[in-house]
Amino acid sequence: MGFVSYAIRRAVSSVIIIIGAVVLTFILTHVVAPHPASIWAGPHASKAVVEAITYEYHLNQPVLVQLYYYLIDTFSFNFGVSPFFKQPVSSLIATYFPRTIELVVVAMILTVLIGVYTGAFAAAHQERAGDYSVRALYLISWSMPPYLVALLLQFALAYHLKLLPPSQLANPALSVPKRVTGFPTLDALIDGDYAFFYSSLRHLVLPAFTLAFISFGIVTRIMRSSMLEAMSAEYVRTAIMKGVGRRRAIYVHAFKNSLIPVVTVIALTFSYLIAGSVVVEEVFSYEGMGYLITQALFNYDYPTLVGSTIVITLSVILINFASDLVYGAIDPRVRVGE
Amino acid sequence: MGELLIVRELSVGYRSSDGYSRVLRRVSFSLSEGEVLGVVGESGSGKTTLALAVARLLPPYARVEGGSIVFNGVDLLSLSEREVDELRGTGIFMVFQDPFMSLNPLMKVGSQLVEAIRVRCRRQKTAFRREDAEREAVEHLRRVRITDPEDVAKRFPHQLSGGQNQRVMIAMALAERPRLIIADEPTTALDVTTQAQVLSLFREIVDQEGMAMIFITHDLAVASSISHRIAVLYAGYIEEIGPAKSVLQDPKHPYTVSLIKSVPAKSKDEGKLEVYSERNPKDGWSGEFCAYAPRCAYVHNACVRGVPVLIQLEDRLVRCVNYGERYE
Amino acid sequence: MFGRAVRFLVSRPASLLGLIIVCVFYGWSLVEGLLQFAGILLGDRALGWVLLPYDPFKTNFSKALLPPSPRHLMGTDDLGRDIFSRVLYAAPVDAAISVIVVLGGLFVGNLVGLPAGYFGRGVDEVNMRLTDLFLAFPALILALVIEATLGRQVVYAIIALIVVWWPSYARLSRAEALKVKPRKYVDAALLSGLSDFQIIRKHFIRASLNTLVSYATIDLGNVVLVYSILSFLGLGAQPPAPEWGTMVASGLEYFPQWWWYSIFPGLVITVVVVGSALLGDGLRDLLAGER
């Protein structure tokens, strides 16, 4: 019962933030913008087009009226038409976003695995060589710009060692699988197109590793401090006293308890991975959301940029909500009041 | 011969940022099977350190300077970590003061009991079956008088009261059937009514299972209600040790006397005296004479000539020059 | 007190390294920045490269894309310009932006966070909801949209970064305010009739600054990093002005064969970020010991 009321509370909070974020985006793109009509119409728009856009997006109406239309549009996923791609923004997003989700999911798994184990390792070797090397590693990895890591990995593994493909989603010579879910790798699996599936996986490796490399430090840091705290907890002492053995006491009792703060960091990591994907997809020419955003930037495609921003932000908020639920499920203490 | 535990000349010190302080000084006592020894002392007397030392759970910044802890004929201090592990739980079991912190907040109480049962099966080389163990866990909970044990077994520690959590710890002891239980102020964190209940439970279990127990407390009355013998600890020294009833009715050492005087404790804080600390220069104790002298009502010149030894007097040992001027 | 701080930092290898890197970076940026500024004022831009090995703007197609050598430490770019000189020339911009953004973020963040912690209740609720709202956006994405809306110039990049940065400072200063609030001298000050504003100014700001200083130092490097990503995406200073991120982007089409074009600016950024992180950590240890 405690969990249900907790989940409801968290859901309400998330909805409020979603509405707030959309309103904030509105304020930025409609109120703060110096010449909304010309930005929305695109740089090559003629005066006639600008006027048409003004009419269509209700840009000459009072702010509240604009807000009304904006909210309706946004929540029905109508983000306007891209002046560059000449398509509805929502269909662009529907094509490109799933690919980034695939990338981020793989990167997230890598990040958590690397982070949790380096963190536990550092804690177990506290203040000794192992600890210091882990900390030096994540300091450097965290400080490297995403494009640098991407380029170095690309150079070493794709161009030099020729182990992996240097760019793109999959071998362009292969035909694209039938669209079922929109996730290319998944669709290839469903379709039975193993050539594409395999190629797609190979193309995921470098970008996912790049993202994981710049992000794992967050997880390592929190896992290490959480583990150190857990290792000195009294229930660990009780476990040892009972005779379960030092290894089980640390790797089961302390470890399990130290995972909790890691869950809170996962949502933050997701946010960081998505932001990083903008740069990483550009370097690897991986045609996902990040790539879409950079194209939108280069070509002054404002509607696409704004639509992408909203979709991405909404996903981050949802991921936050989901991780709160997981957190509540794991740690029974959290459900009791707030 | 027949002694389960023989502690001889045990001295322990702690390293800290301010330096090094000695917490136990050449403590010696013995314990037979099924016997309960009450260790009474105030904060800083070294009683918890004694408990941790015997249980081999001392923190890394503690140093055993000397002495021996012979359990079942083997000196625990000479054993490796792995060898000591074999004794943990089924040989020596420790109950800590704070029941909430002692249990894993993320595991159901029943699972933690099952874990203890698994340890016992491993030691005894008997087969472990989860369903049997779960049933056994519920039985142990019933034995420690927890109402609705099946339901409680599915709960988490924070959903239970302090008294219930401490009973869970006792149930764990029942599951592992140790030969020696060390209880470090197990009732201090509980309210007065629960204290009495848990105390009587301890008495009952120890009698029925024939376990030996070292019961640590700051409350002389509590100690005497549960112990066969009592040792009074002050500044790391055993000042008096003898049969519980006679120590309570006829205290010999001035410190024990002062404890008795403040015994009609209505709240658990009343029996507590000021914290003694070797690092506190105000106490005026340099380590070269009787530790209690600065606070003693019967102090005189002979008290500062040296550290008194334990003297056999009637049915007990006392460390006080008022009964004989012999020094270390 | 300053001397003691420096001695502390110097005594530990990690923070010493950080101190050196930060001093070299900001020291150089200060000198070079003044030269560039004086050059503009006096109408002689060449002042800007007096200290540099080469003129960062001079093109020379016969020397295009030369690999690193003793004469060109970081090689040359596609227009024959010495990359090392361009990197050095671009440093002051990043240094200045990092300082402005961090100070701006601190200012706005404290403006929101301190009253939230001090007054509590309604003010706290409103301010923190606002903070949460801004934090819901991934930092880079928010900065991109702001700049795309306002215009692609350095000034707007700075504004965008300040908007992205202030929420974390708001949270921090609120947490610090909550720590200071129960202390005795606050009650004493209230009783003595000081206004809320005076109390905040006198006690809370000083207390929060202690924690925030180490955090802000680490952030200096982070701002350089994020700004480099913005300029990588074309939202920073426009060519031919050298800019670390822009240089990496320009070098992409020459990668991997002429790898030095994109790699070196990235390495320099890494060094700056590592340096500020080490220094910030050192400061945090220093200030933690002071308590």
Side-chain angles (χ1 to χ4, degrees), chain B residues 45-73:
Chain B
S45 58
K47 54 193 199 310
T48 299
T49 308
L50 178 57
L52 293 175
V54 175
R56 280 284 298 236
L57 288 172
L58 285 172
Y61 50 88
R63 240 193 68 197
V64 175
E65 292 173 17
S68 62
I69 305 175
V70 178
F71 177 74
N72 231 0

Side-chain angles (χ1 to χ4, degrees), chain A residues 233-235 237-246 248 252-253 256-257 260 330-333 336, chain B residues 52 85 88-89 93-94 96 101-107 112 115 118-119 122-123 158 169 172 176:
Chain A
E234 295 205 16
Y235 54 80
R237 191 173 59 168
T238 304
I240 293 180
M241 177 281 295
K242 272 157 74 169
V244 306
R246 191 168 181 269
R248 185 180 160 89
V252 171
H253 285 264
K256 212 190 302 194
N257 279 262
I260 298 175
I330 300 182
D331 188 346
R333 294 171 290 182
V336 182
Chain B
L52 293 175
D85 257 356
R88 292 202 205 276
F93 190 96
M94 185 160 171
F96 301 102
M101 308 293 280
S102 300
L103 294 169
N104 189 333
L106 299 187
M107 274 173 81
Q112 302 193 45
E115 198 182 21
R118 192 195 284 132
V119 171
R122 197 173 68 227
R123 298 275 164 76
H158 69 275
M169 288 306 299
M172 229 181 264
E176 294 199 74

Side-chain angles (χ1 to χ4, degrees), chain A residues 95-147:
Chain A
T95 310
Y96 285 89
F97 194 41
R99 302 168 183 173
T100 297
I101 294 184
E102 268 189 7
L103 175 61
V104 167
V105 164
V106 175
M108 175 72 82
I109 294 174
L110 286 173
T111 306
V112 171
L113 283 176
I114 298 176
V116 160
Y117 282 104
T118 49
F121 179 81
H125 296 242
Q126 189 194 6
E127 303 298 328
R128 299 201 305 269
D131 190 11
Y132 289 124
S133 11
V134 166
R135 284 154 78 183
L137 180 64
Y138 76 63
L139 174 66
I140 296 178
S141 73
W142 179 257
S143 306
M144 289 172 77
Y147 44 76

